Amino acid sequence: MLPLLRLVADGEVHRSRDCIEKLAVQFNITDEERNTMLPSGTAPLFDNRIGWARTYLKQAGCLESKKRGFFSITARGQSLLSQNPADIDNRTLSQFSEFLDFKLRRNESKQQDGLASLPQVIDGPGYLAEAAEITPEELFSQAYQRLRVNLETELLEQVKLSSPSFFERLVIDLLVAMGYGGSRQDAGQAIGKSGDGGIDGIIKEDKLGLDAIYVQAKRWEGTVGRPEIQKFAGALQGQRANKGVFITTSNFSREAEEYAKIISSKIILITGQQLATFMVDHNVGVSPISQYELKRIDSDYFEGENV
């Protein structure tokens, strides 16, 4: 936060976007770092951290904003800079009662406060990988990602323990949820040839049945090699089909993946991890327990208010 405060030390009114660009140049932030997004994919990480630094400095009375998208330093901010601080963080700003009130309004527990301490927005080149303190959006996104990874891992283990007939129904449900196979009844009739611990059959590509997709699923623990994909490609030719999906609860060898890329038929390989991801994405075998909605200021709503 210190570089941001120094940038506006001249007392002039500064545009938020201009400050972001100047800081990016000042610290030689690479294009890759500029393009790094929050885990949620909702905003650039660099912009988000500067935005939160601005928010915290405003809450501490070091910055003020009389017009949306613009801000300037206050007398308190000038006074803080005159002390030549080595850095400005949450401990520095905690000397101001307004900032302490802001922290109380956030209703953070001591543990959360330790994790969600103020962002070290600018630490020079490479700060994106080295910053120890992160913004609330990042914390939220990271917590979600951890929950998601744990859920997918447990889900895949559950799938591996299921019976062949249940696995058959699971794949049918997933394909229908993804928009294939027409209705659940149509898909159930199209796929049902059990064998070898998996399922084989043809399913509609869309609700109208304009094309067909040949499906094979294997509940395997070991890696699926090229020979299995070659057999599948042969089965496609036997069915006069051009498209196929091979689903496994394990993974594929590099040779199998390379073979699937060079043959004329279009074969999509779905690993166990991808299967679990698709199941979570389409709510197959999982159910929502909580839902949180992140919101931001609607700029269009306030358009014209600052003219």
Side-chain angles (χ1 to χ4, degrees):
M1 284 179 287
L2 179 58
L4 177 60
L5 200 58
R6 284 175 174 167
L7 185 64
V8 299
D10 56 11
E12 299 294 326
V13 176
H14 292 262
R15 185 169 176 260
S16 297
R17 173 51 52 187
D18 293 339
C19 289
I20 292 175
E21 298 303 326
K22 289 178 181 178
L23 288 170
V25 173
Q26 179 180 343
F27 288 96
N28 297 318
I29 303 302
T30 66
D31 290 340
E32 182 180 359
E33 289 173 331
R34 286 301 306 271
N35 293 328
T36 300
M37 302 292 287
L38 290 168
S40 62
T42 56
L45 179 58
F46 181 81
D47 297 25
N48 179 258
R49 289 191 170 181
I50 293 178
W52 273 100
R54 185 180 64 248
T55 295
Y56 286 128
L57 288 169
K58 285 171 61 178
Q59 293 295 333
C62 296
L63 294 177
E64 62 180 357
S65 179
K66 296 182 179 179
K67 181 179 180 181
R68 195 182 192 293
F70 295 81
F71 63 96
S72 58
I73 195 170
T74 64
R76 175 178 290 176
Q78 294 281 17
S79 176
L80 184 58
L81 282 179
S82 68
Q83 300 172 24
N84 295 318
D87 196 6
I88 296 178
D89 56 17
N90 57 330
R91 291 180 295 274
T92 307
L93 298 184
S94 292
Q95 64 184 288
F96 306 119
S97 60
E98 296 91 339
F99 182 72
L100 292 176
D101 290 340
F102 168 68
K103 291 178 67 177
L104 289 175
R105 290 197 302 271
R106 293 172 64 196
N107 291 322
E108 291 182 342
S109 67
K110 290 183 179 180
Q111 181 179 7
Q112 289 174 323
D113 186 58
L115 290 173
S117 52
L118 297 180
Q120 299 298 325
V121 180
I122 304 294
D123 265 342
Y127 82 97
L128 290 175
E130 299 172 1
E133 299 180 346
I134 56 179
T135 66
E137 282 98 336
E138 291 175 76
L139 282 171
F140 191 94
S141 296
Q142 289 180 6
Y144 171 78
Q145 290 299 326
R146 285 196 296 270
L147 289 171
R148 170 101 185 202
V149 169
N150 290 340
L151 175 61
E152 291 180 2
T153 300
E154 293 178 7
L155 186 60
L156 182 56
E157 290 301 319
Q158 192 71 33
V159 171
K160 290 179 178 179
L161 294 174
S162 65
S163 65
S165 60
F166 184 86
F167 188 46
E168 176 179 331
R169 295 196 301 272
L170 183 156
V171 172
I172 295 171
D173 289 340
L174 177 60
L175 291 172
V176 172
M178 295 177 70
Y180 298 104
S183 67
R184 177 63 175 77
Q185 183 178 4
D186 290 340
Q189 293 174 349
I191 302 179
K193 215 163 46 171
S194 297
D196 197 26
I199 61 171
D200 300 286
I202 300 175
I203 192 169
K204 295 177 182 177
E205 183 176 17
D206 51 52
K207 295 182 183 298
L208 296 178
L210 296 176
D211 204 349
I213 299 177
Y214 193 79
V215 181
Q216 189 169 70
K218 298 287 186 182
R219 291 191 311 111
W220 280 21
E221 287 294 335
T223 300
V224 178
R226 173 171 172 160
E228 291 298 321
I229 307 305
Q230 289 176 315
K231 293 178 184 178
F232 185 43
L236 283 178
Q237 293 180 354
Q239 295 288 332
R240 294 184 178 179
N242 297 317
K243 301 176 183 179
V245 179
F246 196 116
I247 304 174
T248 181
T249 51
S250 57
N251 49 44
F252 299 93
S253 69
R254 185 176 62 182
E255 291 78 12
E257 293 176 345
E258 292 176 348
Y259 179 76
K261 294 177 181 178
I262 63 174
I263 59 177
S264 58
S265 300
K266 181 66 174 181
I267 297 180
I268 302 299
L269 306 181
I270 299 179
T271 66
Q273 183 58 57
Q274 291 172 316
L275 173 64
T277 297
F278 286 138
M279 290 178 66
V280 175
D281 286 342
H282 297 278
N283 289 322
V284 176
V286 299
S287 57
I289 56 174
S290 298
Q291 186 172 359
Y292 302 91
E293 189 174 41
L294 296 181
K295 300 182 180 182
R296 63 177 58 174
I297 297 295
D298 184 351
S299 300
D300 293 336
Y301 181 81
F302 293 97
E303 190 67 31
E305 191 64 21
N306 296 318
V307 176

